[in-house]
Amino acid sequence: MNIAINMACTLEQKTGIGHYTYNLMKALIDNYTNNLNNEEYKFFSYAYSNLFPNLDINNPVNNEETNKEDEVNEVKKLDIIRRILYSIPFYITIRQKMLQNKNKLIVMQRIQEIFEYHKINIYHEPNFFIEPKKNTKSIVTIHDFSFWDVPYTHKKSLINVMDNELEKSVNISDKIICDSNFTKQRLLHYFPNVSESKVKVIYLGTNDKNMSLSTLLQLDKENNKENENNIFLQKYNLKSKGYILSVGTIEPRKNILTLINAFLQLPNTLQNSFPLVIVGKRGWLNDKIFEKINALEQQQKLYFLNYVSDEDLIRLYANAKVFCYPSIYEGFGLPPLEAMASGIPVITSNNSSLPEVVGDGALMHDSLDDLQLKQYLSNVLTDEELHKNLSEYSLNRSKLFSWKKTAEQTLQVYKEAYNE
C-alpha cells in the first residue's frame, strides 16, 4: 500500500496541526518501515505539488512519466490567453481569475500524474481541505469546529473559507478522522447526512521526549550534560519549578486574558515567586492580549517567549511548577497532554474535548471564571501534597496516549478505505 500524507503544514513553525502531522508520519515510518524487506507499506510526504520519500522533504521523488512537453504547451496556451485578455480593458480583473484557474488545472494534472506514476493508494490530508485524486482513496482529518461554534475567536476570512470549502472535503473523502468524540459529535451535528461509519475518532499522542524533570536530569547526566538544564534556565532567566506555564497560539480562543486576570488576583508574593510564562506564536485578534502582556513584562511578572524550538519546549514543560490552559474551545488539546507527560499539574477548562484528554483527575474550571482559576492556581502553588498528587496523576494519565497508538489506528483507517 502506497500512502501519501500532506506535510506542508510542518514546513514552517509548527502549531497543533503541524505537530500532529509530523508525529503521525514519524510514528508510521518508525513502526511500519523498520524492516527493509517489508514492502507492504510505503510512505510519501506530499508538499507543494511534489512527493518525497518518507520524511525526506528536501528531495522529491522522480516522475519519469510526466510529459514535460505537454506542460510547456499548456504554458504557451496560457501566454496566448494572457495577451488577448490584457488587450481588452473590460477583462482586467476577469483575466486574473481565469489564469489562476487554468494554472490550478495544470498543477492538479501534474499532481495526478505523479500520484499515478507512484501508484498512490491512499492520500491523507491532515488539515481539513482535501483535493480528490483519481484511483486514490482520500482521508481527511477534521480537528475542530471552533470557526462555527465560537466564530468570534476567528478572523472572518477563515470562517468564509470554511463556509465555502469544508463541506466539499466532508463529501468527497472516503474516511474522516476526528481528534476526539466531541469533534465527531460536532461533525455529525453540522453534517447529519454523513454516515457514522465513515468517521473514526483517533486521539493524538505525546512526544517520547516529554518527560518529568527528574527523568530529564538523569538523561542529561547519562549524556555528560549535567549543566544543560541550568544553561537552559539562564537563557530565559527562569528558575526551575518557579513559574506558571501556558502554551498556545496567541489568539482569542486560548483565553490568555482570563489567565492573566486570574494571575493578577494572586497575592504579590506568589506573583513574584511564580511569574507567568507564555509560549506561542503570534496569532490574530490579539491587540488587547498584548497590551496586558506588555504591561506585565515591564513588571517582570510575565515572560512572553514567542515561538520556541521543540527542544526548549520540552524543558519549559519539565521545569514548570504548573501548567495552565484556560482555552474556550479545543478539538483535542495537545499542550495539556504534553504537560501531563512532563509530570506537572494541569489546570484547564471543562469544555469541549478537554475533559476527554485530561480525565477527571486534573483541575478543570469554567473557561471564563477567573476567580475559580485563581483559586486553583493558589492551591497548586502553595499545597505541596496537592502538587505531588496532581503530578503523579498527570504522568499516569499521559501513558494512555502515544503516537504509536495514533499511528496504529490511523493505519487501520487506511486499510479500511483501501479495501472498500
Side-chain angles (χ1 to χ4, degrees):
M1 188 188 307
N2 294 341
I3 301 159
I5 301 177
N6 191 346
M7 304 295 291
C9 60
T10 70
L11 299 180
E12 299 177 356
Q13 292 180 343
K14 295 191 290 292
T15 55
I17 296 176
H19 284 290
Y20 158 72
T21 305
Y22 177 83
N23 285 294
L24 169 62
M25 176 62 107
K26 186 175 185 303
L28 286 168
I29 293 169
D30 289 347
N31 288 287
Y32 299 106
T33 62
N34 284 337
N35 184 350
L36 295 179
N37 295 319
N38 182 5
E39 296 293 329
E40 186 175 1
Y41 305 109
K42 288 184 178 179
F43 297 97
F44 296 82
S45 292
Y46 169 70
Y48 304 121
S49 307
N50 281 305
L51 283 179
F52 306 81
N54 293 331
L55 274 170
D56 188 5
I57 50 180
N58 292 314
N59 298 301
V61 295
N62 292 323
N63 177 18
E64 296 173 359
E65 292 186 357
T66 298
N67 192 327
K68 298 297 181 182
E69 184 178 349
D70 286 347
E71 288 188 19
V72 171
N73 290 336
E74 288 297 330
V75 172
K76 287 180 179 178
K77 291 177 183 177
L78 277 176
D79 187 57
I80 294 172
I81 294 172
R82 178 183 62 81
R83 292 181 183 182
I84 294 173
L85 291 178
Y86 266 77
S87 68
I88 307 174
F90 181 75
Y91 286 104
I92 285 177
T93 55
I94 296 177
R95 68 186 178 218
Q96 294 175 338
K97 186 66 175 177
M98 291 179 66
L99 289 172
Q100 287 173 359
N101 291 339
K102 190 67 175 180
N103 274 318
K104 183 178 180 181
L105 289 174
I106 291 175
V107 170
M108 290 178 66
Q109 176 62 30
R110 178 174 179 273
I111 294 168
Q112 185 63 45
E113 289 172 349
I114 294 174
F115 271 59
E116 289 178 356
Y117 179 73
H118 292 282
K119 299 178 181 178
I120 301 298
N121 307 114
I122 299 291
Y123 173 54
H124 184 181
E125 173 51 65
N127 193 8
F128 290 95
F129 305 121
I130 195 162
E131 290 286 350
K133 310 288 187 295
K134 293 179 182 178
N135 305 316
T136 302
K137 295 297 180 72
S138 298
I139 316 295
V140 66
T141 300
I142 296 178
H143 299 276
D144 68 85
F145 288 87
S146 58
F147 41 85
W148 288 341
D149 286 343
V150 285
Y152 60 91
T153 65
H154 289 286
K155 294 187 290 186
K156 289 183 179 179
S157 57
L158 174 65
I159 298 171
N160 290 338
V161 171
M162 292 297 183
D163 289 344
N164 294 327
E165 300 295 334
L166 187 56
E167 186 173 3
K168 298 176 188 176
S169 290
V170 170
N171 290 336
I172 66 177
S173 59
D174 294 286
K175 293 288 183 180
I176 301 171
I177 295 173
C178 292
D179 295 342
S180 62
N181 285 298
F182 171 77
T183 298
K184 176 183 176 180
Q185 292 166 7
R186 301 310 294 156
L187 171 71
L188 297 176
H189 167 76
Y190 284 113
F191 302 103
N193 293 328
V194 171
S195 171
E196 192 168 351
S197 63
K198 181 177 175 177
V199 187
K200 176 69 174 179
V201 173
I202 302 178
Y203 290 139
L204 279 58
T206 58
N207 193 325
D208 291 340
K209 294 181 180 179
N210 284 115
M211 61 190 78
S212 67
L213 181 60
S214 59
T215 303
L216 185 63
L217 294 177
Q218 180 62 34
L219 190 62
D220 284 345
K221 185 177 180 180
E222 293 171 2
N223 293 327
N224 296 317
K225 296 181 178 180
E226 294 184 63
N227 203 36
E228 190 77 14
N229 203 58
N230 289 331
I231 294 172
F232 163 79
L233 292 168
Q234 290 171 8
K235 173 182 175 181
Y236 290 111
N237 194 29
L238 298 174
K239 294 181 180 179
S240 186
K241 299 304 174 183
Y243 58 90
I244 302 163
L245 179 65
S246 189
V247 176
T249 303
I250 311 303
E251 45 104 347
R253 183 161 58 95
K254 302 305 179 182
N255 201 24
I256 296 299
L257 286 178
T258 294
L259 172 58
I260 290 175
N261 290 337
F263 174 78
L264 289 174
Q265 295 174 62
L266 292 171
N268 283 329
T269 52
L270 288 180
Q271 291 182 34
N272 294 328
S273 299
F274 301 98
L276 188 56
V277 174
I278 296 177
V279 177
K281 65 187 295 185
R282 293 171 183 264
W284 50 89
L285 304 177
N286 53 30
D287 289 347
K288 291 183 178 179
I289 301 172
F290 276 106
E291 285 179 12
K292 289 274 191 176
I293 287 176
N294 294 337
L296 284 180
E297 275 192 307
Q298 292 176 6
Q299 302 174 43
Q300 294 186 325
K301 292 184 176 182
L302 184 150
Y303 297 88
F304 173 61
L305 305 187
N306 210 320
Y307 187 90
V308 302
S309 68
D310 292 346
E311 292 75 17
D312 280 6
L313 184 58
I314 288 166
R315 291 187 183 273
L316 282 167
Y317 278 127
N319 283 281
K321 182 72 172 179
V322 59
F323 180 78
C324 195
Y325 197 72
S327 178
I328 291 171
Y329 184 105
E330 292 295 323
F332 182 79
L334 191 56
L337 182 59
E338 291 176 335
M340 286 185 144
S342 305
I344 59 176
V346 168
I347 305 173
T348 190
S349 306
N350 60 6
N351 61 53
S352 55
S353 65
L354 290 166
E356 284 185 67
V357 176
V358 302
D360 57 9
L363 296 177
M364 289 183 283
H365 63 95
D366 182 279
S367 60
L368 299 180
D369 191 340
D370 54 358
L371 288 175
Q372 187 179 24
L373 176 53
K374 167 256 179 181
Q375 191 58 55
Y376 282 160
L377 282 170
S378 178
N379 292 346
V380 174
L381 295 174
T382 58
D383 187 334
E384 286 302 318
E385 186 66 22
L386 174 64
H387 187 278
K388 178 183 177 183
N389 292 338
L390 289 173
S391 297
E392 291 176 355
Y393 172 81
S394 287
L395 281 174
N396 291 329
R397 177 70 182 179
S398 69
K399 293 175 183 177
L400 300 177
F401 303 82
S402 72
W403 286 115
K404 181 180 180 181
K405 187 182 295 186
T406 304
E408 289 172 351
Q409 295 175 354
T410 302
L411 187 67
Q412 185 59 39
V413 173
Y414 297 163
K415 290 179 181 179
E416 292 175 7
Y418 178 73
N419 292 322
E420 287 181 355

